[in-house]
Amino acid sequence: MAVPLLDISRQHQPILEDLRSVFNTALETSRFIKGPEMEHLEKEFAEYCGTERAVGCASGTDALILALMAVGVKPGDVVLTTPFTFFASAGAIVRAGGVPLFLDILPDTFNIDPELLSGWLADNCSVTSRGVIDRSNGSRIGAVMPVHLFGQLADMDRIMTICNDWQIPVVEDACQAVGSKWNQKRAGSLGTAGCFSFFPSKNLGALGDGGMVTTDSPELADRMVSLREHGGKGYIHEEVGFNSRLDAIQAGFLRVKLAHLENWHKGRRRNARYYNKAFRGVGQVTVPVIKKEAWSIYNQYTIKVPERDELLNYLRKHGIGCAVYYQLPLHLQKCFERLGYGEGDFPVTEAVSKEVISIPVFGELTEEETVEVVETIRAFYAENG
Ligand SMILES: *Cc1c(COP(=O)(O)O)cnc(C)c1O
């Protein structure tokens, strides 16, 4: 039996009529961009995340760029993040004019190691009238960007303590963590700003592209509202922004889907719980480690196995959907050669990138399908044990 990595149509089946009516309304009103649908979504999304404000935009990538610009990242500023993430985390830093500076991850959670962050700042930085400066080259530290990978929040207690001490803004890349919590608080409500993606395969997916930034600061939110419209109010421009719009129709789809999100998380978490038990004693499988402070929405269920490529081929041959996030760490990407990193610079990231494999966990999987996934992996170890 084949099992897909993700099948969004199963999620949409029970809400087809609601989605169609959003489309009909857009057609009837000819309101295609932003407008009341987006404003309603912004309110509902802020409420869901537990923040004062939310600002809609065209994608998760744009959300990151908007947030970085709004917190004051200027051309040449350093932004600290990890090399084990989707390309957009670092791509957005460069697009905002910043320079990514990578720090390694923790081997169990795949998230930024806060002790490396604290150590790097202590060893390299000083506070000056221009802000926090890297003494080796005079670069300003513009922001820290923790990525909540696969749905689990980075250690936001430690990160916020460190960054508050240094007074460095924190831009959460929460693109894989809508609804996830750290000590009962939702992703996007812990940092200076939180960035979300509504790419269709994310836990809250539009029927196209979309993004959102959350923040408790009205000043930051207002600045992002301006930046997403070329940095102006009407035709008066105080700074140069760009064009990043959330379509009214996507906002409408997202409002329909947001109402079901908590329920959909239940399905993913049920599947994850099943896997956590079922993989006990199966070959060399390491199941995801979720910290006691964290509550994950399992955007991915990512296991670690030493014989990753063999297992990947075996699963593909047997029709089990799977993927490797992420095969080539960002510090080894061609486009970042100029940053001067090389093989061996981030040993945890490099080791993990050779061991990870993500398997189907979406909420609408049947019990039969999750059993099939486990039995196929068990069979792999029986044949290759
Ligand atoms: C998906 C994702 C993004 C980018 O979102 P888009 O909507 O595709 O632009 C950024 N960071 C992470 C970690 C992501 O998973």
Side-chain angles (χ1 to χ4, degrees):
M1 178 176 62
V3 182
L5 183 59
L6 178 65
D7 180 357
I8 300 169
S9 68
R10 294 191 206 175
Q11 183 182 67
H12 288 166
Q13 209 57 41
I15 55 169
L16 280 182
E17 279 320 303
D18 293 342
L19 295 174
R20 286 210 175 93
S21 104
V22 169
F23 174 76
N24 291 338
T25 306
L27 211 52
E28 282 156 19
T29 59
S30 292
R31 221 31 247 248
F32 299 128
I33 283 179
K34 301 194 293 184
E37 280 292 349
M38 187 187 72
E39 281 161 25
H40 287 307
L41 175 70
E42 287 176 339
K43 282 214 174 66
E44 291 160 9
F45 193 80
E47 196 174 314
Y48 176 77
C49 294
T51 59
E52 288 296 318
R53 298 278 297 273
V55 177
C57 62
S59 69
T61 306
D62 280 4
L64 291 167
I65 298 172
L66 278 173
L68 290 168
M69 289 174 78
V71 303
V73 170
K74 301 267 182 313
D77 284 358
V78 166
V79 179
L80 295 131
T81 192
T82 80
F84 192 65
T85 172
F86 180 56
F87 181 79
S89 310
I93 293 170
V94 174
R95 280 281 146 242
V99 180
L101 196 146
F102 297 123
L103 295 173
D104 215 346
I105 55 169
L106 294 163
D108 53 353
T109 64
F110 312 126
N111 285 329
I112 192 167
D113 182 342
E115 298 325 309
L116 290 179
L117 173 63
S118 142
W120 188 87
L121 290 168
D123 291 347
N124 295 283
C125 294
S126 301
V127 181
T128 74
S129 56
R130 284 171 54 224
V132 179
I133 303 295
D134 177 350
R135 285 188 303 270
S136 70
N137 55 13
S139 299
R140 218 175 63 98
I141 312 304
V144 171
M145 182 195 285
V147 182
H148 306 322
L149 208 68
F150 305 146
Q152 173 166 217
L153 269 72
D155 184 342
M156 290 304 287
D157 289 330
R158 277 297 285 143
I159 293 167
M160 292 315 293
T161 303
I162 297 163
C163 292
N164 286 338
D165 277 355
W166 285 94
Q167 299 207 348
I168 301 171
V170 175
V171 173
E172 294 175 67
D173 183 341
C175 288
Q176 300 183 5
V178 62
S180 288
K181 295 177 225 174
W182 184 265
N183 283 331
Q184 317 301 327
K185 285 192 160 163
R186 301 258 195 208
S189 72
L190 295 129
T192 316
C195 304
F196 295 87
S197 164
F198 303 130
F199 184 75
S201 71
K202 302 293 161 89
N203 279 35
L204 178 59
L207 277 59
D209 274 311
M212 189 79 79
V213 187
T214 52
T215 180
D216 278 332
S217 156
E219 292 79 23
L220 273 185
D222 289 343
R223 186 157 181 211
M224 290 188 284
V225 166
S226 159
L227 284 168
R228 76 178 167 190
E229 254 171 5
H230 298 293
K233 241 200 181 109
Y235 289 92
I236 309 302
H237 295 265
E238 286 180 4
E239 60 183 333
V240 180
F242 59 114
N243 164 24
S244 187
R245 296 188 276 240
L246 182 60
D247 289 350
I249 193 165
Q250 297 301 347
F253 293 144
L254 287 163
R255 291 183 71 201
V256 169
K257 295 183 72 172
L258 182 58
H260 296 274
L261 190 59
E262 282 304 289
N263 220 14
W264 290 334
H265 290 335
K266 285 191 188 132
R268 284 177 176 269
R269 289 176 51 80
R270 181 193 59 232
N271 295 335
R273 269 197 306 275
Y274 167 74
Y275 283 147
N276 289 344
K277 277 212 184 100
F279 282 126
R280 273 186 208 146
V282 175
Q284 308 241 57
V285 173
T286 304
V287 299
V289 174
I290 306 295
K291 295 279 171 187
K292 65 179 191 310
E293 296 90 345
W295 188 88
S296 175
I297 49 101
Y298 289 97
N299 182 253
Q300 301 295 342
Y301 187 92
T302 303
I303 58 174
K304 285 196 291 188
V305 291
E307 46 293 282
R308 197 267 312 280
D309 290 340
E310 291 81 0
L311 178 60
L312 195 68
N313 289 334
Y314 188 87
L315 290 177
R316 293 211 167 121
K317 208 172 76 196
H318 289 82
I320 307 295
C322 53
V324 173
Y325 308 114
Y326 296 92
Q327 194 113 45
L328 186 61
L330 298 189
H331 68 287
L332 301 176
Q333 297 284 351
K334 178 119 180 75
C335 64
F336 291 139
E337 250 172 29
R338 66 195 166 81
L339 298 176
Y341 293 111
E343 191 99 36
D345 282 345
F346 302 102
V348 181
T349 290
E350 288 168 27
V352 157
S353 70
K354 295 183 177 76
E355 291 186 346
V356 284
I357 173 161
S358 299
I359 57 174
V361 72
F362 65 96
E364 298 76 20
L365 282 169
T366 65
E367 197 183 326
E368 226 188 335
E369 286 174 319
T370 53
V371 170
E372 179 79 8
V373 172
V374 173
E375 290 314 312
T376 308
I377 294 177
R378 200 192 293 283
F380 167 80
Y381 280 107
E383 286 175 34
N384 299 273

